[in-house]
Amino acid sequence: MALSKPGILRWCCQALVVVGAGAGLAAAQSASQAAPMPNSAAPQVWTWEQVKDRFQLDNPTLLADKLNIDESRAQEITAFLRPNPNFTLSVDGTQISPDQGVWRPFAGTFESPSISFLQERRHKRQLRLESAKKATLIAISTHADVQRTMMFTLRSAFVSALEAKAVLQLAKDNIAYYDHVLQIGRDRFSAGDIAQIDLDRLELQRVQYESDLQSAEENLEDAKIQLRTLLNSRTSLEEFDVVGAYDFNDQLMPHDEFRKIALDSRPDLKAAVQSVDKARTDHTLAMANGSTDPTWSAWYTHNSSNNNPFGINTLGVSASFPLRIFDRNQGEKLRTQIDINRNERLRDAAEAGVLSDVDSSYASVASDLALLRPYKAKYLQQAVRVRDTITFSYQHGGASLLDFLNAQAEYRSVELNYVNLVGSYLTAAAQLNQAVGREVMQ
């Protein structure tokens, strides 16, 4: 059935509006990703730096692990303590029964207080303190490694939230665009330009866009919940939002630069090196513990001398030396020597693991960039151009309904693949930061 001239003019104007809306979709999507989502509750919007600071202050797992450092510092106090002196009070010479009719129980009682002290030789106390301090350094490095691992989890959750926002905005843009097309289809049906079956197929296709929108909203809620949990926040989802650049950096440092930074920065590798150093100190301490430590004693006695009737008040001293004939701490000496070798092997394994992590993460980032570059340079523009051209052609009778639906599906697929690829790149960049040991890619 032919259209009247006013109907043709109205339909063509609507088609041009739709084409213009499609051409500006990419710019609108980019702007929406950088701006906070509108919400009547005026949500607090968190940047990555704010999320990271809040995480370090409030995450209970991270705070609990940090207490290991304080415990290790407390053990330094214990390690440097001197042996306590011993005080002994002896009382003897008290008559407990009459003898030859005489009973003077306290006449011959004498008191003898004494004090003794263990002298530690060969710097045992200083070596214990040195070992404890090195254990504290290992605890600091271990905590930094826990923080490194958890920071990757946090960054992944943050990227997931940004990706979910980008997918949600894309779903909103797609359904808004399709609603324009659908309205034109209804107008064409009212004018008799298309059949009822074509309009039904157009309206049925909207179900897919509704499904995409619902799934995107659910994924965004899940991402916010995960991020909010890591921050130990009780804020409602309506009052919680994140903002950040959802894009990729085309520049990538040389591979060897990342390897060098990792060998200098990875806290688990530092802990492995520090463990070797502590094992050597422990071996030196084990050698020192095999030496002889004398015990010095001194005592005072009242009314004790039988050899000298005038020696009522006397002073005595003694020195005790253990004869280390059998026990010379041989087991600990051997164990600590073996422990040095074990920690050296673990250090080598840690270094190999660091380089492997960097190589794998670098390959992931490079692979994502290889896919993203043609998308940004060519495929996104082509997808918009093909969709808008087929749409215009379909509305003018130059393309079939199947061609139109295929073009819509291809556009959705290309745009969604691009958004997901950006998310994959940002996650891979976070993985590379974790592998290196500090943030080298934003």
Side-chain angles (χ1 to χ4, degrees):
M1 182 176 181
L3 286 172
S4 64
K5 286 186 177 180
I8 294 175
L9 290 175
R10 183 177 67 253
W11 165 62
C12 290
C13 291
Q14 289 172 332
L16 290 174
V17 170
V18 172
V19 172
L25 180 59
Q29 177 183 345
S30 177
S32 65
Q33 291 166 359
M37 295 178 62
N39 195 304
S40 59
Q44 181 180 3
V45 180
W46 295 78
T47 65
W48 167 241
E49 292 299 327
Q50 291 172 330
V51 166
K52 184 169 60 174
D53 293 342
R54 173 66 181 269
F55 173 77
Q56 293 173 341
L57 287 175
D58 291 342
N59 183 266
T61 303
L62 193 63
L63 294 176
D65 185 78
K66 190 176 181 180
L67 293 176
N68 291 330
I69 301 175
D70 297 330
E71 290 180 359
S72 185
R73 288 198 174 105
Q75 291 175 352
E76 292 180 19
I77 300 174
T78 302
F80 201 54
L81 293 176
R82 299 178 184 274
N84 288 320
N86 294 319
F87 175 78
T88 305
L89 176 62
S90 300
V91 179
D92 199 4
T94 301
Q95 186 181 8
I96 61 174
S97 63
D99 182 73
Q100 298 180 4
V102 178
W103 186 32
R104 295 185 296 172
F106 300 107
T109 299
F110 68 90
E111 306 84 19
S112 178
S114 66
I115 188 169
S116 62
F117 178 75
L118 175 68
Q119 178 189 359
E120 291 187 304
R121 299 173 56 246
R122 295 187 61 178
H123 309 291
K124 294 183 179 67
R125 181 164 160 259
Q126 289 77 8
L127 287 170
R128 286 198 305 269
L129 177 61
E130 182 181 348
S131 177
K133 286 184 174 180
K134 290 178 179 179
T136 300
L137 293 177
I138 294 173
I140 293 173
S141 297
T142 302
H143 173 69
D145 191 57
V146 171
Q147 182 173 332
R148 174 185 70 92
T149 303
M150 295 190 67
M151 196 63 69
F152 168 71
T153 303
L154 179 71
R155 181 67 177 178
S156 297
F158 185 81
V159 169
S160 295
L162 291 180
E163 182 177 358
K165 286 185 65 175
V167 172
L168 176 60
Q169 188 60 49
L170 179 63
K172 289 180 178 179
D173 292 342
N174 283 340
I175 199 170
Y177 180 92
Y178 196 79
D179 282 341
H180 281 290
V181 175
L182 191 57
Q183 184 58 46
I184 293 174
R186 289 167 181 158
D187 291 344
R188 292 180 65 189
F189 173 73
S190 299
D193 187 52
I194 62 174
Q196 178 70 52
I197 186 64
D198 289 338
L199 180 62
D200 290 342
R201 294 180 69 182
L202 285 173
E203 291 182 339
L204 284 174
Q205 188 66 22
R206 193 180 189 278
V207 175
Q208 182 62 52
Y209 293 96
E210 293 175 353
S211 176
D212 291 346
L213 182 61
Q214 183 63 36
S215 298
E217 290 175 347
E218 182 180 353
N219 290 337
L220 179 57
E221 287 185 359
D222 292 341
K224 284 184 177 181
I225 290 172
Q226 182 184 6
L227 186 59
R228 189 184 60 177
T229 302
L230 289 170
L231 297 180
N232 195 28
S233 173
R234 303 298 185 267
T235 307
S236 65
L237 291 181
E238 293 75 15
E239 299 174 352
F240 182 83
D241 197 9
V242 296
V243 65
Y246 193 74
D247 202 354
F248 67 95
N249 184 2
D250 196 27
Q251 303 300 319
L252 191 61
M253 288 193 307
H255 186 193
D256 290 340
E257 288 295 324
F258 288 104
R259 283 177 140 228
K260 182 179 179 181
I261 295 173
L263 292 177
D264 293 337
S265 303
R266 275 283 288 263
D268 54 338
L269 182 57
K270 287 183 179 180
V273 173
Q274 291 163 347
S275 295
V276 174
D277 190 28
K278 182 181 182 298
R280 289 172 179 155
T281 300
D282 291 342
H283 179 65
T284 304
L285 178 59
M287 298 295 292
N289 285 336
S291 64
T292 298
D293 294 333
T295 301
W296 303 98
S297 302
W299 63 89
Y300 161 77
T301 303
H302 175 70
N303 190 27
S304 65
S305 177
N306 295 321
N307 296 328
N308 182 4
F310 301 99
I312 303 301
N313 299 302
T314 61
L315 179 67
V317 294
S318 69
S320 174
F321 296 89
L323 301 178
R324 307 206 69 161
I325 299 174
F326 306 109
D327 178 10
R328 296 188 301 277
N329 208 33
Q330 301 95 317
E332 276 300 294
K333 292 176 183 177
L334 180 59
R335 185 194 68 79
T336 51
Q337 180 60 59
I338 295 173
D339 196 47
I340 294 175
N341 298 330
R342 182 181 68 86
N343 280 282
E344 287 175 343
R345 302 291 85 76
L346 291 176
R347 178 200 58 197
D348 296 340
E351 182 175 338
V354 167
L355 297 178
S356 175
D357 291 345
V358 172
D359 294 345
S360 177
S361 301
Y362 187 90
S364 297
V365 172
S367 175
D368 288 335
L369 283 177
L371 293 173
L372 281 167
R373 290 186 183 109
Y375 263 88
K376 193 169 187 178
K378 180 173 62 174
Y379 297 149
L380 290 178
Q381 292 85 346
Q382 286 181 340
V384 173
R385 187 165 60 249
V386 168
R387 180 193 66 169
D388 293 346
T389 302
I390 295 297
T391 299
F392 189 81
S393 178
Y394 166 71
Q395 291 167 350
H396 286 77
S400 67
L401 177 61
L402 181 60
D403 292 334
F404 167 72
L405 295 179
N406 286 338
Q408 292 290 327
E410 289 170 0
Y411 171 81
R412 285 173 50 243
S413 176
V414 170
E415 288 285 345
L416 185 59
N417 285 344
Y418 176 74
V419 171
N420 290 335
L421 271 176
V422 173
S424 177
Y425 162 81
L426 292 175
T427 302
Q431 182 76 54
L432 184 55
N433 288 337
Q434 182 194 25
V436 169
R438 61 183 178 88
E439 286 197 1
V440 292
M441 298 186 65
Q442 299 298 327

PDB file of all heavy atoms in Angstrom, residues 157 160-161 163-165 167-168 211-226 416 420:
ATOM      1  N   ALA A 157      37.498  -5.978  41.426  1.00  0.00           N
ATOM      2  CA  ALA A 157      36.117  -5.642  41.776  1.00  0.00           C
ATOM      3  C   ALA A 157      35.755  -4.246  41.290  1.00  0.00           C
ATOM      4  O   ALA A 157      34.633  -4.005  40.819  1.00  0.00           O
ATOM      5  CB  ALA A 157      35.936  -5.738  43.295  1.00  0.00           C
ATOM      6  N   SER A 160      35.249  -4.459  37.619  1.00  0.00           N
ATOM      7  CA  SER A 160      33.971  -5.127  37.346  1.00  0.00           C
ATOM      8  C   SER A 160      32.804  -4.162  37.485  1.00  0.00           C
ATOM      9  O   SER A 160      31.843  -4.208  36.695  1.00  0.00           O
ATOM     10  CB  SER A 160      33.785  -6.313  38.293  1.00  0.00           C
ATOM     11  OG  SER A 160      34.761  -7.304  38.063  1.00  0.00           O
ATOM     12  N   ALA A 161      32.891  -3.273  38.482  1.00  0.00           N
ATOM     13  CA  ALA A 161      31.833  -2.278  38.659  1.00  0.00           C
ATOM     14  C   ALA A 161      31.810  -1.294  37.489  1.00  0.00           C
ATOM     15  O   ALA A 161      30.736  -0.946  36.966  1.00  0.00           O
ATOM     16  CB  ALA A 161      32.017  -1.537  39.976  1.00  0.00           C
ATOM     17  N   GLU A 163      32.921  -1.885  34.475  1.00  0.00           N
ATOM     18  CA  GLU A 163      32.464  -2.628  33.298  1.00  0.00           C
ATOM     19  C   GLU A 163      30.960  -2.815  33.321  1.00  0.00           C
ATOM     20  O   GLU A 163      30.280  -2.668  32.297  1.00  0.00           O
ATOM     21  CB  GLU A 163      33.168  -3.978  33.233  1.00  0.00           C
ATOM     22  CG  GLU A 163      32.791  -4.807  32.022  1.00  0.00           C
ATOM     23  CD  GLU A 163      33.551  -6.117  31.949  1.00  0.00           C
ATOM     24  OE1 GLU A 163      34.409  -6.362  32.825  1.00  0.00           O
ATOM     25  OE2 GLU A 163      33.299  -6.897  31.011  1.00  0.00           O
ATOM     26  N   ALA A 164      30.425  -3.126  34.507  1.00  0.00           N
ATOM     27  CA  ALA A 164      28.974  -3.301  34.614  1.00  0.00           C
ATOM     28  C   ALA A 164      28.241  -2.000  34.311  1.00  0.00           C
ATOM     29  O   ALA A 164      27.179  -2.006  33.671  1.00  0.00           O
ATOM     30  CB  ALA A 164      28.616  -3.799  36.012  1.00  0.00           C
ATOM     31  N   LYS A 165      28.815  -0.859  34.727  1.00  0.00           N
ATOM     32  CA  LYS A 165      28.206   0.430  34.401  1.00  0.00           C
ATOM     33  C   LYS A 165      28.244   0.683  32.895  1.00  0.00           C
ATOM     34  O   LYS A 165      27.277   1.184  32.315  1.00  0.00           O
ATOM     35  CB  LYS A 165      28.934   1.561  35.132  1.00  0.00           C
ATOM     36  CG  LYS A 165      28.653   1.638  36.620  1.00  0.00           C
ATOM     37  CD  LYS A 165      29.313   2.856  37.247  1.00  0.00           C
ATOM     38  CE  LYS A 165      28.725   4.143  36.710  1.00  0.00           C
ATOM     39  NZ  LYS A 165      29.270   5.336  37.375  1.00  0.00           N
ATOM     40  N   VAL A 167      28.368  -1.577  30.485  1.00  0.00           N
ATOM     41  CA  VAL A 167      27.426  -2.491  29.825  1.00  0.00           C
ATOM     42  C   VAL A 167      25.992  -2.008  30.040  1.00  0.00           C
ATOM     43  O   VAL A 167      25.158  -2.069  29.119  1.00  0.00           O
ATOM     44  CB  VAL A 167      27.615  -3.918  30.360  1.00  0.00           C
ATOM     45  CG1 VAL A 167      26.518  -4.839  29.832  1.00  0.00           C
ATOM     46  CG2 VAL A 167      28.983  -4.465  29.961  1.00  0.00           C
ATOM     47  N   LEU A 168      25.702  -1.514  31.250  1.00  0.00           N
ATOM     48  CA  LEU A 168      24.358  -1.004  31.520  1.00  0.00           C
ATOM     49  C   LEU A 168      24.051   0.210  30.645  1.00  0.00           C
ATOM     50  O   LEU A 168      22.946   0.322  30.091  1.00  0.00           O
ATOM     51  CB  LEU A 168      24.240  -0.638  33.001  1.00  0.00           C
ATOM     52  CG  LEU A 168      22.909  -0.004  33.425  1.00  0.00           C
ATOM     53  CD1 LEU A 168      21.758  -0.956  33.152  1.00  0.00           C
ATOM     54  CD2 LEU A 168      22.948   0.388  34.900  1.00  0.00           C
ATOM     55  N   SER A 211      16.043  -7.922  28.087  1.00  0.00           N
ATOM     56  CA  SER A 211      16.829  -8.916  28.828  1.00  0.00           C
ATOM     57  C   SER A 211      18.248  -8.406  29.078  1.00  0.00           C
ATOM     58  O   SER A 211      18.795  -8.571  30.179  1.00  0.00           O
ATOM     59  CB  SER A 211      16.869 -10.231  28.053  1.00  0.00           C
ATOM     60  OG  SER A 211      17.687 -11.183  28.697  1.00  0.00           O
ATOM     61  N   ASP A 212      18.844  -7.786  28.050  1.00  0.00           N
ATOM     62  CA  ASP A 212      20.186  -7.221  28.225  1.00  0.00           C
ATOM     63  C   ASP A 212      20.193  -6.165  29.320  1.00  0.00           C
ATOM     64  O   ASP A 212      21.125  -6.109  30.144  1.00  0.00           O
ATOM     65  CB  ASP A 212      20.666  -6.597  26.906  1.00  0.00           C
ATOM     66  CG  ASP A 212      20.938  -7.642  25.838  1.00  0.00           C
ATOM     67  OD1 ASP A 212      21.012  -8.832  26.189  1.00  0.00           O
ATOM     68  OD2 ASP A 212      21.060  -7.258  24.662  1.00  0.00           O
ATOM     69  N   LEU A 213      19.183  -5.326  29.340  1.00  0.00           N
ATOM     70  CA  LEU A 213      19.109  -4.253  30.345  1.00  0.00           C
ATOM     71  C   LEU A 213      18.961  -4.828  31.754  1.00  0.00           C
ATOM     72  O   LEU A 213      19.640  -4.391  32.683  1.00  0.00           O
ATOM     73  CB  LEU A 213      17.938  -3.332  30.019  1.00  0.00           C
ATOM     74  CG  LEU A 213      17.748  -2.120  30.948  1.00  0.00           C
ATOM     75  CD1 LEU A 213      18.974  -1.219  30.917  1.00  0.00           C
ATOM     76  CD2 LEU A 213      16.490  -1.349  30.565  1.00  0.00           C
ATOM     77  N   GLN A 214      18.100  -5.831  31.893  1.00  0.00           N
ATOM     78  CA  GLN A 214      17.887  -6.427  33.212  1.00  0.00           C
ATOM     79  C   GLN A 214      19.151  -7.128  33.712  1.00  0.00           C
ATOM     80  O   GLN A 214      19.537  -7.000  34.879  1.00  0.00           O
ATOM     81  CB  GLN A 214      16.723  -7.423  33.156  1.00  0.00           C
ATOM     82  CG  GLN A 214      16.365  -8.049  34.495  1.00  0.00           C
ATOM     83  CD  GLN A 214      15.887  -7.016  35.500  1.00  0.00           C
ATOM     84  OE1 GLN A 214      15.220  -6.055  35.132  1.00  0.00           O
ATOM     85  NE2 GLN A 214      16.232  -7.206  36.761  1.00  0.00           N
ATOM     86  N   SER A 215      19.819  -7.863  32.821  1.00  0.00           N
ATOM     87  CA  SER A 215      21.054  -8.546  33.207  1.00  0.00           C
ATOM     88  C   SER A 215      22.140  -7.542  33.585  1.00  0.00           C
ATOM     89  O   SER A 215      22.893  -7.758  34.545  1.00  0.00           O
ATOM     90  CB  SER A 215      21.549  -9.431  32.062  1.00  0.00           C
ATOM     91  OG  SER A 215      20.625 -10.440  31.756  1.00  0.00           O
ATOM     92  N   ALA A 216      22.226  -6.437  32.853  1.00  0.00           N
ATOM     93  CA  ALA A 216      23.229  -5.415  33.157  1.00  0.00           C
ATOM     94  C   ALA A 216      22.981  -4.783  34.517  1.00  0.00           C
ATOM     95  O   ALA A 216      23.928  -4.533  35.289  1.00  0.00           O
ATOM     96  CB  ALA A 216      23.232  -4.349  32.060  1.00  0.00           C
ATOM     97  N   GLU A 217      21.733  -4.523  34.854  1.00  0.00           N
ATOM     98  CA  GLU A 217      21.414  -3.946  36.165  1.00  0.00           C
ATOM     99  C   GLU A 217      21.772  -4.921  37.291  1.00  0.00           C
ATOM    100  O   GLU A 217      22.318  -4.522  38.322  1.00  0.00           O
ATOM    101  CB  GLU A 217      19.929  -3.586  36.223  1.00  0.00           C
ATOM    102  CG  GLU A 217      19.559  -2.402  35.327  1.00  0.00           C
ATOM    103  CD  GLU A 217      18.070  -2.139  35.315  1.00  0.00           C
ATOM    104  OE1 GLU A 217      17.309  -3.022  35.799  1.00  0.00           O
ATOM    105  OE2 GLU A 217      17.648  -1.067  34.833  1.00  0.00           O
ATOM    106  N   GLU A 218      21.492  -6.192  37.074  1.00  0.00           N
ATOM    107  CA  GLU A 218      21.817  -7.197  38.089  1.00  0.00           C
ATOM    108  C   GLU A 218      23.328  -7.347  38.260  1.00  0.00           C
ATOM    109  O   GLU A 218      23.836  -7.436  39.392  1.00  0.00           O
ATOM    110  CB  GLU A 218      21.203  -8.542  37.701  1.00  0.00           C
ATOM    111  CG  GLU A 218      21.436  -9.639  38.723  1.00  0.00           C
ATOM    112  CD  GLU A 218      20.807 -10.954  38.316  1.00  0.00           C
ATOM    113  OE1 GLU A 218      20.073 -10.972  37.303  1.00  0.00           O
ATOM    114  OE2 GLU A 218      21.064 -11.968  39.006  1.00  0.00           O
ATOM    115  N   ASN A 219      24.056  -7.352  37.152  1.00  0.00           N
ATOM    116  CA  ASN A 219      25.518  -7.474  37.230  1.00  0.00           C
ATOM    117  C   ASN A 219      26.137  -6.269  37.943  1.00  0.00           C
ATOM    118  O   ASN A 219      27.117  -6.412  38.682  1.00  0.00           O
ATOM    119  CB  ASN A 219      26.109  -7.604  35.830  1.00  0.00           C
ATOM    120  CG  ASN A 219      25.780  -8.931  35.181  1.00  0.00           C
ATOM    121  OD1 ASN A 219      25.480  -9.913  35.872  1.00  0.00           O
ATOM    122  ND2 ASN A 219      25.815  -8.975  33.865  1.00  0.00           N
ATOM    123  N   LEU A 220      25.582  -5.093  37.729  1.00  0.00           N
ATOM    124  CA  LEU A 220      26.094  -3.902  38.408  1.00  0.00           C
ATOM    125  C   LEU A 220      25.855  -4.003  39.912  1.00  0.00           C
ATOM    126  O   LEU A 220      26.734  -3.649  40.714  1.00  0.00           O
ATOM    127  CB  LEU A 220      25.426  -2.653  37.842  1.00  0.00           C
ATOM    128  CG  LEU A 220      25.863  -1.320  38.479  1.00  0.00           C
ATOM    129  CD1 LEU A 220      27.369  -1.131  38.368  1.00  0.00           C
ATOM    130  CD2 LEU A 220      25.122  -0.151  37.842  1.00  0.00           C
ATOM    131  N   GLU A 221      24.702  -4.490  40.307  1.00  0.00           N
ATOM    132  CA  GLU A 221      24.431  -4.662  41.739  1.00  0.00           C
ATOM    133  C   GLU A 221      25.409  -5.663  42.362  1.00  0.00           C
ATOM    134  O   GLU A 221      25.937  -5.429  43.457  1.00  0.00           O
ATOM    135  CB  GLU A 221      22.987  -5.126  41.941  1.00  0.00           C
ATOM    136  CG  GLU A 221      21.949  -4.047  41.686  1.00  0.00           C
ATOM    137  CD  GLU A 221      20.555  -4.514  42.019  1.00  0.00           C
ATOM    138  OE1 GLU A 221      20.404  -5.691  42.441  1.00  0.00           O
ATOM    139  OE2 GLU A 221      19.604  -3.727  41.862  1.00  0.00           O
ATOM    140  N   ASP A 222      25.644  -6.780  41.667  1.00  0.00           N
ATOM    141  CA  ASP A 222      26.576  -7.779  42.183  1.00  0.00           C
ATOM    142  C   ASP A 222      27.982  -7.195  42.325  1.00  0.00           C
ATOM    143  O   ASP A 222      28.674  -7.449  43.315  1.00  0.00           O
ATOM    144  CB  ASP A 222      26.608  -9.001  41.265  1.00  0.00           C
ATOM    145  CG  ASP A 222      25.313  -9.785  41.294  1.00  0.00           C
ATOM    146  OD1 ASP A 222      24.539  -9.613  42.265  1.00  0.00           O
ATOM    147  OD2 ASP A 222      25.062 -10.567  40.355  1.00  0.00           O
ATOM    148  N   ALA A 223      28.417  -6.419  41.330  1.00  0.00           N
ATOM    149  CA  ALA A 223      29.756  -5.822  41.387  1.00  0.00           C
ATOM    150  C   ALA A 223      29.862  -4.830  42.542  1.00  0.00           C
ATOM    151  O   ALA A 223      30.877  -4.775  43.246  1.00  0.00           O
ATOM    152  CB  ALA A 223      30.079  -5.141  40.060  1.00  0.00           C
ATOM    153  N   LYS A 224      28.821  -4.050  42.758  1.00  0.00           N
ATOM    154  CA  LYS A 224      28.830  -3.095  43.870  1.00  0.00           C
ATOM    155  C   LYS A 224      28.866  -3.812  45.220  1.00  0.00           C
ATOM    156  O   LYS A 224      29.555  -3.383  46.151  1.00  0.00           O
ATOM    157  CB  LYS A 224      27.601  -2.194  43.797  1.00  0.00           C
ATOM    158  CG  LYS A 224      27.671  -1.114  42.727  1.00  0.00           C
ATOM    159  CD  LYS A 224      26.446  -0.220  42.825  1.00  0.00           C
ATOM    160  CE  LYS A 224      26.497   0.920  41.819  1.00  0.00           C
ATOM    161  NZ  LYS A 224      25.317   1.807  41.942  1.00  0.00           N
ATOM    162  N   ILE A 225      28.128  -4.899  45.322  1.00  0.00           N
ATOM    163  CA  ILE A 225      28.111  -5.662  46.575  1.00  0.00           C
ATOM    164  C   ILE A 225      29.502  -6.199  46.890  1.00  0.00           C
ATOM    165  O   ILE A 225      29.976  -6.121  48.029  1.00  0.00           O
ATOM    166  CB  ILE A 225      27.076  -6.805  46.491  1.00  0.00           C
ATOM    167  CG1 ILE A 225      25.658  -6.235  46.492  1.00  0.00           C
ATOM    168  CG2 ILE A 225      27.257  -7.786  47.644  1.00  0.00           C
ATOM    169  CD1 ILE A 225      24.582  -7.260  46.211  1.00  0.00           C
ATOM    170  N   GLN A 226      30.166  -6.762  45.883  1.00  0.00           N
ATOM    171  CA  GLN A 226      31.509  -7.295  46.106  1.00  0.00           C
ATOM    172  C   GLN A 226      32.486  -6.195  46.519  1.00  0.00           C
ATOM    173  O   GLN A 226      33.267  -6.364  47.462  1.00  0.00           O
ATOM    174  CB  GLN A 226      32.013  -7.974  44.840  1.00  0.00           C
ATOM    175  CG  GLN A 226      33.407  -8.598  44.996  1.00  0.00           C
ATOM    176  CD  GLN A 226      33.933  -9.189  43.707  1.00  0.00           C
ATOM    177  OE1 GLN A 226      33.312  -9.054  42.651  1.00  0.00           O
ATOM    178  NE2 GLN A 226      35.080  -9.825  43.764  1.00  0.00           N
ATOM    179  N   LEU A 416      29.344  -4.743  22.580  1.00  0.00           N
ATOM    180  CA  LEU A 416      29.503  -5.490  23.822  1.00  0.00           C
ATOM    181  C   LEU A 416      30.881  -6.140  23.892  1.00  0.00           C
ATOM    182  O   LEU A 416      31.514  -6.159  24.960  1.00  0.00           O
ATOM    183  CB  LEU A 416      28.407  -6.546  23.937  1.00  0.00           C
ATOM    184  CG  LEU A 416      28.365  -7.338  25.254  1.00  0.00           C
ATOM    185  CD1 LEU A 416      28.167  -6.387  26.433  1.00  0.00           C
ATOM    186  CD2 LEU A 416      27.260  -8.376  25.227  1.00  0.00           C
ATOM    187  N   ASN A 420      33.612  -5.462  26.853  1.00  0.00           N
ATOM    188  CA  ASN A 420      34.190  -6.582  27.587  1.00  0.00           C
ATOM    189  C   ASN A 420      35.709  -6.657  27.408  1.00  0.00           C
ATOM    190  O   ASN A 420      36.442  -7.017  28.338  1.00  0.00           O
ATOM    191  CB  ASN A 420      33.559  -7.901  27.141  1.00  0.00           C
ATOM    192  CG  ASN A 420      32.120  -8.032  27.586  1.00  0.00           C
ATOM    193  OD1 ASN A 420      31.707  -7.409  28.574  1.00  0.00           O
ATOM    194  ND2 ASN A 420      31.338  -8.811  26.874  1.00  0.00           N
TER     195      ASN A 420
END
